[in-house]
Short mmCIF file of all heavy atoms in Angstrom, two decimals:
data_model
loop_
_atom_site.label_atom_id
_atom_site.label_comp_id
_atom_site.label_asym_id
_atom_site.label_seq_id
_atom_site.Cartn_x
_atom_site.Cartn_y
_atom_site.Cartn_z
N LEU B 9 76.85 117.53 84.41
CA LEU B 9 76.59 117.21 85.81
C LEU B 9 77.55 116.13 86.31
O LEU B 9 78.10 116.23 87.41
CB LEU B 9 75.15 116.72 85.98
CG LEU B 9 74.05 117.78 86.03
CD1 LEU B 9 72.68 117.15 85.81
CD2 LEU B 9 74.07 118.52 87.35
N TYR B 10 77.75 115.12 85.49
CA TYR B 10 78.64 114.02 85.85
C TYR B 10 80.08 114.50 85.97
O TYR B 10 80.81 114.14 86.91
CB TYR B 10 78.51 112.93 84.79
CG TYR B 10 79.30 111.67 85.07
CD1 TYR B 10 79.10 110.96 86.24
CD2 TYR B 10 80.21 111.17 84.13
CE1 TYR B 10 79.81 109.79 86.49
CE2 TYR B 10 80.90 110.00 84.36
CZ TYR B 10 80.70 109.32 85.54
OH TYR B 10 81.39 108.16 85.79
N LYS B 11 80.47 115.34 85.05
CA LYS B 11 81.83 115.88 85.05
C LYS B 11 82.10 116.69 86.32
O LYS B 11 83.14 116.52 86.98
CB LYS B 11 82.01 116.75 83.80
CG LYS B 11 83.34 117.49 83.71
CD LYS B 11 83.35 118.34 82.46
CE LYS B 11 84.60 119.23 82.39
NZ LYS B 11 84.56 120.11 81.20
N ILE B 12 81.17 117.58 86.67
CA ILE B 12 81.35 118.42 87.86
C ILE B 12 81.26 117.58 89.13
O ILE B 12 82.00 117.82 90.10
CB ILE B 12 80.30 119.56 87.87
CG1 ILE B 12 80.51 120.47 86.66
CG2 ILE B 12 80.41 120.36 89.16
CD1 ILE B 12 79.46 121.56 86.52
N PHE B 13 80.39 116.58 89.14
CA PHE B 13 80.29 115.70 90.30
C PHE B 13 81.64 115.05 90.59
O PHE B 13 82.09 114.99 91.74
CB PHE B 13 79.23 114.62 90.07
CG PHE B 13 79.11 113.64 91.21
CD1 PHE B 13 78.25 113.89 92.27
CD2 PHE B 13 79.86 112.47 91.24
CE1 PHE B 13 78.14 113.00 93.33
CE2 PHE B 13 79.77 111.58 92.30
CZ PHE B 13 78.90 111.85 93.35
N LYS B 14 82.29 114.56 89.55
CA LYS B 14 83.57 113.88 89.75
C LYS B 14 84.65 114.85 90.23
O LYS B 14 85.56 114.45 90.96
CB LYS B 14 84.01 113.19 88.45
CG LYS B 14 83.12 112.00 88.08
CD LYS B 14 83.80 111.05 87.11
CE LYS B 14 84.02 111.69 85.75
NZ LYS B 14 84.63 110.72 84.80
N LYS B 15 84.54 116.10 89.85
CA LYS B 15 85.55 117.07 90.27
C LYS B 15 85.31 117.56 91.70
O LYS B 15 86.27 117.85 92.42
CB LYS B 15 85.56 118.26 89.31
CG LYS B 15 86.16 117.94 87.94
CD LYS B 15 86.23 119.19 87.07
CE LYS B 15 86.90 118.88 85.73
NZ LYS B 15 86.97 120.08 84.85
N LYS B 16 84.03 117.66 92.11
CA LYS B 16 83.73 118.28 93.39
C LYS B 16 83.36 117.29 94.50
O LYS B 16 83.64 117.54 95.68
CB LYS B 16 82.55 119.27 93.25
CG LYS B 16 82.88 120.52 92.49
CD LYS B 16 81.73 121.51 92.51
CE LYS B 16 81.49 122.09 93.89
NZ LYS B 16 80.50 123.18 93.88
N TYR B 17 82.72 116.17 94.13
CA TYR B 17 82.10 115.37 95.18
C TYR B 17 82.57 113.92 95.28
O TYR B 17 82.43 113.31 96.34
CB TYR B 17 80.57 115.37 94.99
CG TYR B 17 79.95 116.73 95.18
CD1 TYR B 17 79.50 117.48 94.09
CD2 TYR B 17 79.83 117.28 96.45
CE1 TYR B 17 78.93 118.73 94.27
CE2 TYR B 17 79.27 118.54 96.64
CZ TYR B 17 78.83 119.26 95.54
OH TYR B 17 78.27 120.50 95.73
N GLY B 18 83.04 113.33 94.20
CA GLY B 18 83.38 111.91 94.31
C GLY B 18 84.00 111.36 93.05
O GLY B 18 84.75 112.05 92.35
N ARG B 19 83.64 110.13 92.73
CA ARG B 19 84.25 109.44 91.60
C ARG B 19 83.16 108.87 90.69
O ARG B 19 82.03 108.64 91.10
CB ARG B 19 85.13 108.27 92.10
CG ARG B 19 86.21 108.68 93.07
CD ARG B 19 87.29 109.53 92.41
NE ARG B 19 87.99 108.80 91.37
CZ ARG B 19 89.08 108.05 91.60
NH1 ARG B 19 89.56 107.94 92.82
NH2 ARG B 19 89.68 107.41 90.61
N GLY B 20 83.55 108.59 89.45
CA GLY B 20 82.69 107.86 88.54
C GLY B 20 82.92 106.37 88.73
O GLY B 20 84.07 105.94 88.91
N PHE B 21 81.86 105.60 88.68
CA PHE B 21 82.01 104.17 88.96
C PHE B 21 82.93 103.49 87.95
O PHE B 21 83.69 102.59 88.31
CB PHE B 21 80.64 103.48 88.97
CG PHE B 21 80.72 102.02 89.35
CD1 PHE B 21 80.99 101.65 90.65
CD2 PHE B 21 80.56 101.03 88.39
CE1 PHE B 21 81.08 100.31 91.01
CE2 PHE B 21 80.64 99.69 88.73
CZ PHE B 21 80.90 99.33 90.05
N GLU B 22 82.88 103.93 86.68
CA GLU B 22 83.73 103.28 85.68
C GLU B 22 85.21 103.52 85.95
O GLU B 22 86.07 102.77 85.47
CB GLU B 22 83.36 103.78 84.27
CG GLU B 22 83.90 105.15 83.89
CD GLU B 22 83.01 106.27 84.38
OE1 GLU B 22 82.12 106.00 85.21
OE2 GLU B 22 83.19 107.42 83.94
N ASP B 23 85.52 104.57 86.75
CA ASP B 23 86.92 104.87 87.08
C ASP B 23 87.46 103.96 88.18
O ASP B 23 88.67 103.85 88.34
CB ASP B 23 87.06 106.33 87.52
CG ASP B 23 86.67 107.30 86.41
OD1 ASP B 23 86.89 106.95 85.23
OD2 ASP B 23 86.15 108.38 86.73
N ILE B 24 86.55 103.35 88.95
CA ILE B 24 87.02 102.59 90.12
C ILE B 24 86.57 101.13 90.11
O ILE B 24 87.02 100.35 90.96
CB ILE B 24 86.53 103.24 91.43
CG1 ILE B 24 85.00 103.20 91.50
CG2 ILE B 24 87.03 104.67 91.56
CD1 ILE B 24 84.45 103.65 92.83
N GLU B 25 85.68 100.74 89.17
CA GLU B 25 85.09 99.40 89.26
C GLU B 25 86.11 98.28 89.14
O GLU B 25 85.90 97.19 89.66
CB GLU B 25 83.99 99.23 88.22
CG GLU B 25 84.44 99.29 86.78
CD GLU B 25 83.30 98.95 85.82
OE1 GLU B 25 82.49 98.07 86.15
OE2 GLU B 25 83.21 99.59 84.75
N HIS B 26 87.22 98.54 88.45
CA HIS B 26 88.23 97.48 88.29
C HIS B 26 89.40 97.66 89.25
O HIS B 26 90.39 96.93 89.16
CB HIS B 26 88.73 97.46 86.85
CG HIS B 26 87.64 97.21 85.84
ND1 HIS B 26 86.87 96.07 85.85
CD2 HIS B 26 87.18 97.97 84.82
CE1 HIS B 26 85.99 96.13 84.87
NE2 HIS B 26 86.14 97.27 84.24
N SER B 27 89.28 98.64 90.15
CA SER B 27 90.38 98.90 91.07
C SER B 27 90.35 97.93 92.23
O SER B 27 89.30 97.62 92.78
CB SER B 27 90.29 100.34 91.60
OG SER B 27 91.21 100.53 92.64
N ALA B 28 91.51 97.48 92.64
CA ALA B 28 91.62 96.59 93.79
C ALA B 28 91.32 97.33 95.09
O ALA B 28 91.04 96.73 96.12
CB ALA B 28 93.02 95.97 93.86
N GLU B 29 91.41 98.66 95.03
CA GLU B 29 91.16 99.47 96.21
C GLU B 29 89.84 100.21 96.08
O GLU B 29 89.68 101.33 96.55
CB GLU B 29 92.29 100.47 96.41
CG GLU B 29 93.66 99.82 96.56
CD GLU B 29 94.76 100.86 96.73
OE1 GLU B 29 94.51 101.86 97.42
OE2 GLU B 29 95.84 100.67 96.18
N GLN B 30 88.87 99.55 95.49
CA GLN B 30 87.58 100.20 95.22
C GLN B 30 86.94 100.72 96.50
O GLN B 30 86.43 101.84 96.53
CB GLN B 30 86.64 99.22 94.53
CG GLN B 30 85.30 99.82 94.16
CD GLN B 30 84.37 98.81 93.51
OE1 GLN B 30 83.21 98.77 93.84
NE2 GLN B 30 84.87 98.00 92.61
N GLU B 31 86.96 99.91 97.55
CA GLU B 31 86.29 100.31 98.78
C GLU B 31 86.89 101.59 99.35
O GLU B 31 86.18 102.49 99.77
CB GLU B 31 86.39 99.18 99.81
CG GLU B 31 85.45 99.33 101.00
CD GLU B 31 84.01 99.21 100.58
OE1 GLU B 31 83.73 98.49 99.61
OE2 GLU B 31 83.17 99.87 101.22
N GLU B 32 88.24 101.66 99.33
CA GLU B 32 88.88 102.87 99.85
C GLU B 32 88.56 104.07 98.98
O GLU B 32 88.38 105.18 99.48
CB GLU B 32 90.39 102.66 99.93
CG GLU B 32 90.85 101.71 101.03
CD GLU B 32 90.58 100.25 100.71
OE1 GLU B 32 90.27 99.96 99.53
OE2 GLU B 32 90.66 99.42 101.61
N LEU B 33 88.48 103.86 97.67
CA LEU B 33 88.18 104.97 96.76
C LEU B 33 86.75 105.45 96.96
O LEU B 33 86.46 106.64 96.86
CB LEU B 33 88.38 104.52 95.31
CG LEU B 33 89.85 104.37 94.88
CD1 LEU B 33 89.93 103.66 93.54
CD2 LEU B 33 90.53 105.73 94.79
N ILE B 34 85.84 104.52 97.24
CA ILE B 34 84.46 104.91 97.46
C ILE B 34 84.36 105.76 98.72
O ILE B 34 83.67 106.78 98.75
CB ILE B 34 83.56 103.66 97.58
CG1 ILE B 34 83.46 102.97 96.23
CG2 ILE B 34 82.17 104.03 98.09
CD1 ILE B 34 82.70 101.68 96.25
N LEU B 35 85.07 105.35 99.77
CA LEU B 35 85.02 106.13 101.00
C LEU B 35 85.70 107.47 100.84
O LEU B 35 85.28 108.47 101.41
CB LEU B 35 85.68 105.33 102.14
CG LEU B 35 84.90 104.07 102.56
CD1 LEU B 35 85.70 103.27 103.57
CD2 LEU B 35 83.55 104.45 103.13
N ALA B 36 86.75 107.52 100.03
CA ALA B 36 87.42 108.76 99.63
C ALA B 36 87.97 109.55 100.80
O ALA B 36 89.18 109.66 100.97
CB ALA B 36 86.50 109.62 98.78
N ALA B 37 87.09 110.13 101.59
CA ALA B 37 87.55 111.03 102.64
C ALA B 37 88.23 110.25 103.76
O ALA B 37 88.00 109.06 103.95
CB ALA B 37 86.37 111.81 103.20
N GLU B 38 89.06 110.94 104.54
CA GLU B 38 89.73 110.32 105.67
C GLU B 38 88.71 109.91 106.71
O GLU B 38 87.72 110.60 106.94
CB GLU B 38 90.71 111.32 106.28
CG GLU B 38 91.55 110.72 107.40
CD GLU B 38 92.55 111.72 107.93
OE1 GLU B 38 92.83 112.69 107.20
OE2 GLU B 38 93.01 111.55 109.06
N GLU B 39 88.91 108.78 107.34
CA GLU B 39 87.96 108.26 108.31
C GLU B 39 87.79 109.23 109.47
O GLU B 39 88.74 109.55 110.17
CB GLU B 39 88.47 106.91 108.83
CG GLU B 39 87.46 106.15 109.65
CD GLU B 39 86.45 105.43 108.78
OE1 GLU B 39 86.56 105.52 107.55
OE2 GLU B 39 85.57 104.80 109.34
N PRO B 40 86.58 109.75 109.71
CA PRO B 40 86.38 110.67 110.82
C PRO B 40 86.51 109.93 112.15
O PRO B 40 86.39 108.72 112.22
CB PRO B 40 84.94 111.16 110.62
CG PRO B 40 84.54 110.71 109.26
CD PRO B 40 85.37 109.51 108.95
N GLU B 41 86.72 110.69 113.22
CA GLU B 41 86.95 110.08 114.52
C GLU B 41 85.65 109.76 115.24
O GLU B 41 85.44 108.66 115.71
CB GLU B 41 87.83 110.99 115.38
CG GLU B 41 89.26 111.12 114.85
CD GLU B 41 90.11 111.97 115.76
OE1 GLU B 41 89.59 112.45 116.77
OE2 GLU B 41 91.30 112.16 115.46
N SER B 42 84.75 110.74 115.37
CA SER B 42 83.55 110.54 116.17
C SER B 42 82.50 109.75 115.41
O SER B 42 82.46 109.74 114.19
CB SER B 42 82.97 111.88 116.60
OG SER B 42 82.39 112.53 115.49
N TYR B 43 81.62 109.09 116.21
CA TYR B 43 80.52 108.33 115.61
C TYR B 43 79.63 109.24 114.79
O TYR B 43 79.22 108.91 113.68
CB TYR B 43 79.72 107.64 116.71
CG TYR B 43 78.50 106.91 116.21
CD1 TYR B 43 78.60 105.60 115.73
CD2 TYR B 43 77.25 107.52 116.21
CE1 TYR B 43 77.49 104.93 115.26
CE2 TYR B 43 76.13 106.85 115.74
CZ TYR B 43 76.26 105.56 115.28
OH TYR B 43 75.15 104.90 114.81
N LYS B 44 79.31 110.41 115.35
CA LYS B 44 78.43 111.35 114.67
C LYS B 44 79.03 111.78 113.34
O LYS B 44 78.33 111.86 112.32
CB LYS B 44 78.18 112.57 115.56
CG LYS B 44 77.18 113.55 114.99
CD LYS B 44 76.91 114.68 115.98
CE LYS B 44 75.89 115.65 115.42
NZ LYS B 44 75.61 116.76 116.37
N ALA B 45 80.34 112.04 113.34
CA ALA B 45 81.01 112.45 112.10
C ALA B 45 81.02 111.33 111.07
O ALA B 45 80.86 111.56 109.87
CB ALA B 45 82.43 112.91 112.40
N LYS B 46 81.17 110.09 111.55
CA LYS B 46 81.15 108.95 110.64
C LYS B 46 79.79 108.80 109.98
O LYS B 46 79.69 108.55 108.77
CB LYS B 46 81.48 107.65 111.41
CG LYS B 46 82.94 107.52 111.82
CD LYS B 46 83.15 106.22 112.56
CE LYS B 46 84.61 106.06 113.00
NZ LYS B 46 84.83 104.81 113.74
N ARG B 47 78.72 108.94 110.77
CA ARG B 47 77.38 108.84 110.21
C ARG B 47 77.14 109.93 109.18
O ARG B 47 76.60 109.69 108.10
CB ARG B 47 76.33 108.94 111.33
CG ARG B 47 76.34 107.79 112.30
CD ARG B 47 76.00 106.48 111.66
NE ARG B 47 74.67 106.42 111.11
CZ ARG B 47 74.23 105.44 110.34
NH1 ARG B 47 75.03 104.45 110.01
NH2 ARG B 47 72.99 105.45 109.87
N LYS B 48 77.54 111.15 109.51
CA LYS B 48 77.34 112.27 108.59
C LYS B 48 78.10 112.05 107.30
O LYS B 48 77.59 112.32 106.20
CB LYS B 48 77.80 113.57 109.25
CG LYS B 48 77.50 114.81 108.42
CD LYS B 48 77.86 116.08 109.17
CE LYS B 48 77.51 117.30 108.32
NZ LYS B 48 77.85 118.56 109.01
N GLU B 49 79.31 111.53 107.41
CA GLU B 49 80.12 111.27 106.22
C GLU B 49 79.48 110.19 105.34
O GLU B 49 79.53 110.25 104.11
CB GLU B 49 81.52 110.83 106.64
CG GLU B 49 82.49 110.57 105.50
CD GLU B 49 82.88 111.82 104.73
OE1 GLU B 49 82.74 112.93 105.29
OE2 GLU B 49 83.30 111.69 103.57
N SER B 50 78.84 109.20 105.99
CA SER B 50 78.26 108.08 105.23
C SER B 50 77.06 108.51 104.39
O SER B 50 76.69 107.83 103.44
CB SER B 50 77.85 106.96 106.18
OG SER B 50 76.69 107.31 106.92
#
């Protein structure tokens, strides 16, 4: 489950916890334009 999650949906915390760009990696996707799209992405 963890393996497929990292391939399809996001990242493993151990892969990003020491990264200086952790916040950007957590957000991953490009910042949506509309408020509604931002909420849905969050």
